[in-house]
Amino acid sequence: MYRGRFAPSPTGPLHAGSLVAALASWLDARAHGGVWLLRIEDVDTPRCVPGAERLILQQLAACGLVADEPPWRQSERGPAYADALQQLVAAGRAYPCACTRRDIDKALAARGVVHERFAERVYPGTCRGGLHGRPARAWRLRADGRVRWVDRRLGEAVQDVGAEVGDFVLKRADGLWAYQLAVVVDDAAQGITDVVRGEDLADNTPRQILLQHALGLPRPRYLHTPLVLGDDGHKLSKQNGAQALDLADPLAALRAAGAVLGLPPLAAEDVHDWLAAAVPAWAGIIAAFDERLRKRP
Ligand code: GLU
């Protein structure tokens, strides 16, 4: 049975970009006769904005997107994440790390690696061999291996997680659970068969697959949707001019999101009409994706 989800972080209201991911995940669930769930990803508490969750639920409801089961909240899932970390530690896959950001930069500089501004630091593995008396700050996954995976829209990709990302954080120095661990544990616990989300998260997928493997969890299928770009050519966000979705005209918002997904203009009087027409249109689009995947060399 198909189970999909939309997993917003309550850091602000939905905007034109986040609606694309919400709509695609809903359409994909409906086109497969499946279930659509909502998960509020509020692990990064300092970034959460009071009232944002309520607003997001209202915005989704105004667009006719209502979850089939009560939403989950990651802030209530700490014990499940702790169990998963414990399992990884017991298996020798996770280890404590004492490094500050400065320590990491220094270790990288000593190896002649120049850290570019805003680029992810590949952890140099300093604490792999033990803490040597330094106090533990964070927990990391021992990330060895290349991951090959297929995105339903983007096709096949390979990432050498060890070399390109390095041992990544599972639990942060501030005690908060990292997105990678929380998302993997919850996708499995909610029985998610298909992850449909924005393309900005595509390069997180190999890390999540590595974690699923380490925890003995099933791998869902993945489809990453096109992004809406802001004035500066980057993914639309509050920082580059994203406006909150206008609750006064949800049909226009759906039409715009549908256009990003490649749906043709659909005749509809209201959001429910529009969604009903959009499901078969989306089924046609994903049939073409599947066909392209089948034909790949
Ligand atoms: N919470 C993440 C975000 O808002 C999405 C996570 C996911 O879909 O895996 O960007």
Side-chain angles (χ1 to χ4, degrees):
M1 170 69 156
Y2 181 111
R3 287 171 70 84
R5 56 36 165 213
F6 175 54
S9 305
T11 54
L14 291 184
H15 53 71
S18 32
L19 182 64
V20 171
L23 175 63
S25 62
W26 185 91
L27 287 173
D28 204 51
R30 289 295 174 263
H32 286 87
V35 168
W36 186 68
L37 307 177
L38 200 61
R39 185 169 69 229
I40 304 297
E41 301 217 316
D42 55 355
V43 266
D44 192 352
T45 37
R47 288 186 58 231
C48 293
V49 172
E53 175 186 327
R54 226 187 60 216
L55 190 53
I56 291 171
L57 291 171
Q58 272 173 6
Q59 291 174 307
L60 289 171
C63 292
L65 307 177
V66 178
D68 297 315
E69 295 174 12
W72 282 28
R73 258 171 228 97
Q74 290 191 324
S75 54
E76 296 164 3
R77 300 269 305 143
Y81 308 147
D83 282 351
L85 177 60
Q86 199 40 53
Q87 187 185 330
L88 293 168
V89 173
R93 291 299 306 268
Y95 64 87
C97 174
C99 297
T100 61
R101 202 160 285 179
R102 254 188 89 227
D103 295 334
I104 297 173
D105 283 345
K106 272 203 326 224
L108 289 174
R111 295 179 176 196
V113 181
V114 182
H115 178 248
E116 287 170 37
R117 235 146 57 92
F118 303 121
E120 288 267 6
R121 294 168 177 76
V122 176
Y123 182 64
T126 317
C127 295
R128 266 195 172 209
L131 293 171
H132 305 294
R134 297 147 75 221
R137 291 165 48 84
W139 289 83
R140 290 182 183 273
L141 184 83
R142 206 176 274 278
D144 296 311
R146 279 154 61 88
V147 173
R148 184 180 295 276
W149 62 288
V150 176
D151 181 274
R152 291 168 50 204
R153 170 175 158 260
L154 301 170
E156 192 176 56
V158 183
Q159 189 182 72
D160 184 336
V161 183
E164 292 171 46
V165 181
D167 293 349
F168 57 89
V169 171
L170 302 171
K171 191 177 189 188
R172 299 170 13 174
D174 57 10
L176 297 176
W177 296 102
Y179 158 67
Q180 310 293 352
L181 181 73
V183 81
V184 162
V185 169
D186 287 346
D187 280 338
Q190 290 191 289
I192 299 301
T193 59
D194 286 77
V195 171
V196 176
R197 63 185 175 192
E199 201 176 315
D200 56 314
L201 290 166
D203 79 333
N204 287 252
T205 306
R207 267 170 273 179
Q208 294 169 17
I209 289 173
L210 215 59
L211 258 176
Q212 286 152 6
H213 194 72
L215 288 164
L217 300 173
R219 182 196 296 201
R221 301 197 303 163
Y222 289 93
L223 189 160
H224 289 87
T225 59
L227 300 180
V228 178
L229 302 183
D231 306 333
D232 57 359
H234 289 106
K235 180 200 161 196
L236 189 63
S237 69
K238 264 178 296 178
Q239 286 71 38
N240 62 14
Q243 304 282 321
L245 274 190
D246 184 2
L247 279 169
D249 197 355
L251 184 55
L254 283 175
R255 287 186 188 285
V260 174
L261 292 172
L263 298 177
L266 302 164
E269 299 276 314
D270 60 26
V271 295
H272 299 286
D273 271 6
W274 190 87
L275 288 171
V279 173
W282 176 253
I285 289 175
I286 54 178
F289 290 161
D290 289 349
E291 187 59 23
R292 209 167 58 196
L293 281 185
R294 258 198 305 277
K295 287 209 186 115
R296 84 197 132 111

